Amino acid sequence: MILELATIDIKADNNAEFEANLARAIQVISQSRGFQKIDVQHCIEQHNRYALMIYWQTLEDHTVGFRTSELFTEWRALIGPFFENPPFVQHFSIKNIG
């Protein structure tokens, strides 16, 4: 399993609208092959920052399957207009240490 960690800064004073659209966007991404789950965190110190932790079966399920699909176009249309700047995205392998 792979963790996609996306840090998103949205335009000021758009939190309620962003969160409403994000709820709709989650319904979209959940249809993608290899999607496992998503956790959304809202930053306390920086009110316009969100961390999306999206779990995929494989890296390619995200980078190829989802990113080149119509689902991605729909996902981005729902939440992209709120972005202050492009999301910062990194991928992590899931390891059980200890």
Side-chain angles (χ1 to χ4, degrees):
M1 186 163 8
I2 300 296
L3 166 63
E4 170 197 356
L5 177 59
T7 303
I8 299 175
D9 293 337
I10 65 165
K11 297 171 187 167
D13 302 320
N14 283 287
N15 295 76
E17 290 176 69
F18 172 73
E19 290 176 14
N21 276 30
L22 180 58
R24 292 173 46 211
I26 289 170
Q27 296 303 312
V28 172
I29 197 173
S30 68
Q31 299 172 53
S32 188
R33 181 176 176 271
F35 172 86
Q36 301 296 303
K37 71 175 187 169
I38 183 171
D39 293 318
V40 178
Q41 307 300 325
H42 184 215
C43 185
I44 295 169
E45 292 83 9
Q46 192 167 336
H47 192 63
N48 69 322
R49 178 166 289 168
Y50 291 81
L52 278 57
M53 292 168 282
I54 307 171
Y55 296 84
W56 298 94
Q57 189 62 41
T58 68
L59 178 63
E60 291 76 19
D61 285 335
H62 174 235
T63 58
V64 178
F66 179 61
R67 281 292 192 94
T68 61
S69 73
E70 288 298 316
L71 292 172
F72 178 76
T73 303
E74 190 175 348
W75 159 270
R76 188 51 74 94
L78 286 165
I79 63 172
F82 296 94
F83 295 169
E84 181 67 31
N85 45 51
F88 180 71
V89 178
Q90 294 178 300
H91 296 92
F92 298 84
S93 59
I94 305 295
K95 300 213 181 275
N96 292 320
I97 299 174

